[in-house]
Amino acid sequence: MADILIAGAGLGGLTAALALLRRGHRVRLFEQASELREVGAGVQLGANGTRLLIALGLRDTMQQVVCAAVGKEVRLGTTGQSWPTFDLGESSVERFGAPYWMVHRGDFHRVLLDAVRAASPDAIRAGDGCVGFDQTGAAVTLHLASGAQASGDLLIGADGVHSRIRQQMFGLGSAHGGAAHFTGIMAWRGLVPMQRLPPHQRRLVGANWMGVGGHVVTYPLRRGELLNFVGVVERDDWREESWNQPGSREECLRDLANWHEDVKTIIRNIDTPYKWALLGRDPLPRYAQGPVCVMGDAAHPTLPFLAQGANMALEDAVVIARCLDIDENPEAALRRYQYARLQRTAAIVRGSSDNTKRFHNPALGSPEGAAAYVEREFLPEKVKQRYDWLYEYDALTVAL
């Protein structure tokens, strides 16, 4: 069994830890935050992600906190006209063998954290993040902010979009190091207790409101007690890539002034809307270097327009664990992981960028043009072509 170091105890790092602990490896996680919690935001988990959580034994605990929405729909941002696009209830289980869950990021993080601690009470070291690493022969040594060090057979960089591990592997500021470009888009996010909304807005349905120069995504969380809101607008004067920068309801309403009253009702009921700039990055050409690899947002940060960021991290985690089942040599296992994941993750990153144009199309400027556009772009066969390949992928059985 391997002695594995993981930099970062977010969703991806914890899932990797759990998958590896279940296989008998020794795992130690190092997290810079002293308080292990996630920000208040929603996460969508397609069948490609939920089947992995179920396989890891988390079905019951996840079902206590998720919302299994009954469907998704497209709505026109100005008039509110709606078109159904997905049946997410029984259909996801019937077609893909696993449910579609919508979950509060903090609730999801807590489920994973509790599972890792139950498997290995001392696995997580909080308040001491990584600042770099060294490779000496077959061993890798992680350098920590406190000045301490930890050595193991293998290091997994799960330290997020601003990954120190990726920067050291590929070069800070280079394309391979994750150099970012501003997309010209920023997003608002917030949570609203369902009881604050009028009855017609309390449905357990995810909605993608589309319009010229922006779109809005809403979906229920925490058994239907909360509504998650994301408002995406084309705006070039805010370039801070942070999830924790508070804005104001007034500013958010100005950005979405021409949108339907239902959208504005949601915004008025958000306690604090947060804003963040959306930066794009080209896919990396490789994820591994010797006994060191990156995963999740550290490897393939993506725009949120396919709702696959968290799912990709779960897939990475399970594939890394499976590769170590096949190859005891860490370098060989990580090469296998890299080859297994590069093509799929790059396709998701590019597909997420492509959806920006689809959701902000000029044809959405009039009800007549929007109806023709939605009926053309969201025909059942086109929707299947665009999304089924995401949910059909099974990290538990994919060839490695």
Side-chain angles (χ1 to χ4, degrees), residues 76-79 81 83 210-212 361-374:
L76 183 57
T78 51
T79 68
Q81 183 178 356
W83 299 263
M210 301 193 304
V212 178
N361 198 281
L364 298 163
S366 70
E368 299 79 12
Y373 177 77
V374 170

Side-chain angles (χ1 to χ4, degrees), residues 56-83:
L56 287 169
L58 301 178
R59 182 198 294 268
D60 291 344
T61 49
M62 286 297 291
Q63 285 182 329
Q64 294 173 24
V65 298
V66 303
C67 183
V70 297
K72 274 191 176 184
E73 63 187 16
V74 167
R75 301 193 69 177
L76 183 57
T78 51
T79 68
Q81 183 178 356
S82 65
W83 299 263

